[in-house]
Amino acid sequence: MRLDDWFLTGPERGNDATKLAPWTEGNLVRPLVHGATYFAELAARLAGLGEDDLLLFSDWRGDPDERLTPDGPEVAAAMARAAERGALVRGLIWRSHLDFLRFSSAENRHLGEDIEAAGGQALLDTRVRRGGSHHQKFVVLRHDRGPGRDVAFVGGIDLCHSRRDDAEHLGDPQAAPMPGAYGDRPPWHDVQVAISGPAVAEVEKVFCERWEDPAPETRQPFRRLRDRMTRMADVPPLPAAGPAPPAAGTHAVQLLRTYPHLRHAYPFAPEGERSVARAYRKVLTRASSLVYLEDQYLWSTEVIEPFAEALEREPGLRMIIVVPRHPDQDGWLAGPASLIGRSEALARLMRAGDGRVAIYDLENHRGTPVYVHAKVCVVDDVWASVGSDNVNLRSWTFDSELSCAVLDAQPDPRPPSGARRFARELRLTLAAEHLDRDPGDLEDLLDPESAYEAFAESAARLEAWHRDGCRGPRPPGRLRPHPRPGLDRVRRALAMPLYRIVVDPDGRPSRLRRSNEF
């Protein structure tokens, strides 16, 4: 398998200014499915940091009191203790929109202040386009005396409320505001990966490029004054990066990013970067059997188009897609536009796939919808990606994003041939949970066609049980067919004209539509 058949080459990334390597080999990437799994490992790893070790993190939202395990420690306390033991702690936290708009400016500032008080340093970073956000969620741990223990966590899980859920999906006791359909403790499905090996140094470069950006982290005078008064405007230099960690496994890793094109340009991406979008476009031209996708949004006909083109090109290609049943708390900003945006995208996929596209949402065994926040894509059981980016225009053009794409040098010996172990195991792990299958009962899911049918049959049984008034034993599985309202029905219900949507579901404008943006 040639890596450059699937990965972007250096020129294909479209950003000559970055220090990132095109990809690294010899890594070990472990999926951490569920926030509880990730938080428990993060807590243990933070407890092991000592003098002259390094903790770097970037977050979209951080709640300082979020417990990493049921008995603690809390996020801020775990990082503060590492700083008190002599570790160097540095954080880049999106400053966020105001709390009354249902965002997290106060929480993010409090997390930064707690880290500062313990001797660390955190910046509230607004170096994005107006209305955009820093959406990257990653942590890097480097060890001064033991680089074999270095690790980077990359994915979609924020260090905040509602994320600490597990396979039972009963929700995090520390819940964030969500629509009432999700209950008082919204069930939450999410994925992060733990990376060991040379790619850890590449994730560190992502942090360093942003940290060393000479532009002020905010251009608003009042915020700059407040940051200086609370010592949150200091940007002490980072130590010189040590050598990359030693090889740890068989996984080649490519880091994919989105950065907007700013008037005050990023020195590491003067024209922005669209490697997330470019990677999807490249990989989807190779897709031939199965695209498995878990995503929070699935918006925008522009972003859906490469998926639709793949379906039209390959008559044997199938797509299994898992999304949330209801929009999250941010969707209210876009209002009717969000309904029409999703309907347009789904209609385009259905026309292209002609019976080969299946879209599901999830519920727990109590019948409560599970909020799907994961951002996972597996193509032909060869290429897999886990990151912060959603399948929407904003994640492909507007916000900062970071994703980890993996190609395993180790083939999976099970038929059909051609699959790679990491990608296939990731897909099967997620399928086993959604279908309520034991790990040893997955043979029929290896073949893309039989996997497609297994998802359809499981969802049909559960849907029939609900239609029958939930009488009798609940059938195994957590999949429900996702409703697909037609555009005419949505338009009539909203009593509004049909027009081209220019707003993504949280209300941020999607103005970057030029073809060269992708």
Side-chain angles (χ1 to χ4, degrees):
M1 180 182 63
R2 289 174 52 93
L3 296 180
D4 59 3
D5 284 343
W6 293 87
F7 281 163
L8 297 175
T9 63
E12 287 174 332
R13 180 181 289 271
N15 178 17
D16 295 335
T18 183
K19 300 175 183 177
L20 290 186
W23 58 74
T24 58
E25 299 180 64
N27 302 288
L28 174 65
V29 182
R30 294 179 294 111
L32 304 177
V33 183
H34 312 306
T37 305
Y38 168 40
F39 284 1
E41 178 163 339
L42 180 61
R45 297 276 193 157
L46 291 176
L49 292 179
E51 187 174 1
D52 296 328
D53 291 339
L54 184 64
L55 162 58
L56 309 174
F57 75 95
S58 176
D59 209 4
W60 177 79
R61 172 177 177 141
D63 285 308
D65 64 338
E66 172 65 16
R67 293 188 294 274
L68 294 174
T69 68
D71 299 323
E74 297 175 346
V75 168
M79 293 184 175
R81 289 170 192 166
E84 291 163 358
R85 293 191 299 269
L88 185 72
V89 179
R90 299 288 183 264
L92 288 165
I93 312 170
W94 180 45
R95 188 180 295 268
S96 185
H97 303 315
L98 298 176
D99 277 17
F100 84 88
L101 291 175
R102 305 186 188 182
F103 287 93
S104 52
S105 61
E107 292 81 359
N108 290 2
R109 172 169 286 279
H110 294 158
L111 175 59
E113 290 171 346
D114 288 352
I115 292 170
E116 293 273 347
Q121 184 69 36
L123 296 181
L124 296 176
D125 192 357
T126 54
R127 291 171 290 197
V128 293
R129 289 184 69 95
R130 185 180 300 276
S133 72
H134 278 304
H135 199 241
Q136 297 173 342
K137 307 118 187 283
F138 66 88
V139 177
V140 179
L141 306 180
R142 299 293 302 268
H143 299 81
D144 186 59
R145 292 169 293 277
R149 295 184 291 144
D150 291 354
V151 65
F153 299 100
V154 175
I157 303 181
D158 301 279
L159 303 175
C160 70
H161 294 166
S162 272
R163 273 49 169 184
R164 187 169 58 82
D165 200 357
D166 57 24
E168 292 299 310
H169 287 310
L170 299 180
D172 186 339
Q174 296 173 277
M178 290 288 287
Y182 290 104
D184 295 333
R185 285 174 51 169
W188 197 276
H189 175 68
D190 222 331
V191 182
Q192 199 87 349
V193 292
I195 306 170
S196 302
V200 174
E202 299 302 304
V203 184
E204 183 181 2
K205 289 178 187 178
V206 174
F207 183 93
C208 292
E209 286 184 339
R210 281 183 54 192
W211 185 267
E212 294 167 355
D213 184 350
E217 63 274 11
T218 178
R219 296 184 181 276
Q220 296 189 13
F222 175 76
R223 288 179 172 178
R224 294 180 70 176
L225 176 62
R226 183 180 181 184
D227 287 352
R228 282 197 292 269
M229 292 176 63
T230 57
R231 297 179 56 206
M232 292 189 69
D234 301 332
V235 189
L238 295 169
T250 62
H251 301 151
V253 168
Q254 179 165 72
L255 297 182
L256 304 170
R257 304 182 300 185
T258 299
Y259 286 118
H261 182 189
L262 299 180
R263 183 164 60 91
H264 302 282
Y266 297 118
F268 52 86
E271 300 295 325
E273 182 172 319
R274 303 286 183 270
S275 54
V276 167
R278 290 173 178 232
Y280 268 104
R281 285 190 172 274
K282 181 169 184 172
V283 168
L284 288 170
T285 63
R286 298 188 60 86
S288 60
S289 59
L290 179 64
V291 174
Y292 179 84
L293 181 69
E294 295 188 356
D295 194 77
Q296 182 183 5
Y297 286 131
L298 196 68
W299 298 96
S300 169
T301 52
E302 289 91 341
V303 172
I304 285 298
E305 192 59 26
F307 292 86
E309 291 171 357
L311 288 163
E312 290 171 339
R313 184 192 69 249
E314 294 289 341
L317 179 63
R318 291 170 174 79
M319 291 187 183
I320 299 174
I321 301 173
V322 181
V323 296
R325 188 175 305 170
H326 307 287
D328 68 359
Q329 73 273 17
D330 300 341
W332 69 281
L333 287 171
S338 63
L339 294 176
I340 295 181
R342 170 165 284 187
S343 295
E344 280 191 314
L346 297 187
R348 173 70 178 108
L349 279 181
M350 294 301 168
R351 290 194 304 270
D354 190 23
R356 294 176 285 120
V357 178
I359 305 176
Y360 304 101
D361 52 58
L362 300 174
E363 67 179 28
N364 64 17
H365 292 150
R366 299 180 179 180
T368 306
V370 175
Y371 189 71
V372 177
H373 191 258
K375 302 96 167 55
V376 176
C377 186
V378 180
V379 177
D380 290 353
D381 284 353
V382 174
W383 180 92
S385 174
V386 177
S388 67
D389 54 289
N390 294 296
V391 180
N392 65 353
L393 194 60
R394 192 179 71 251
S395 281
W396 282 24
T397 63
F398 207 76
D399 292 350
S400 71
E401 305 285 2
L402 179 65
S403 185
C404 170
V406 180
L407 290 172
D408 196 341
Q410 186 175 10
D412 191 291
R414 296 167 291 185
S417 62
R420 297 287 154 166
R421 184 175 292 275
F422 177 86
R424 178 170 276 175
E425 289 293 343
L426 174 59
R427 178 176 67 83
L428 293 179
T429 296
L430 296 169
E433 177 184 319
H434 301 334
L435 297 172
D436 281 333
R437 296 282 195 92
D438 292 328
D441 182 26
L442 303 176
E443 288 299 313
D444 62 318
L445 303 181
L446 296 174
D447 178 75
E449 184 174 354
S450 61
Y452 187 90
E453 294 303 323
F455 269 65
E457 291 168 4
S458 178
R461 285 193 298 268
L462 185 55
E463 192 70 11
W465 181 75
H466 277 285
R467 285 198 305 268
D468 197 35
C470 304
R471 291 184 297 200
R474 186 184 191 278
R478 315 178 190 196
L479 297 162
R480 299 282 299 275
H482 188 67
R484 301 189 296 272
L487 288 176
D488 290 341
R489 175 181 166 193
V490 172
R491 183 182 59 200
R492 287 194 301 270
L494 298 172
M496 63 181 295
L498 185 60
Y499 57 91
R500 170 60 69 189
I501 301 306
V502 295
V503 180
D504 261 350
D506 63 358
R508 299 172 203 165
S510 55
R511 293 175 291 187
L512 305 182
R513 293 174 178 269
R514 299 189 303 274
S515 61
N516 63 355
E517 295 292 354
F518 289 170

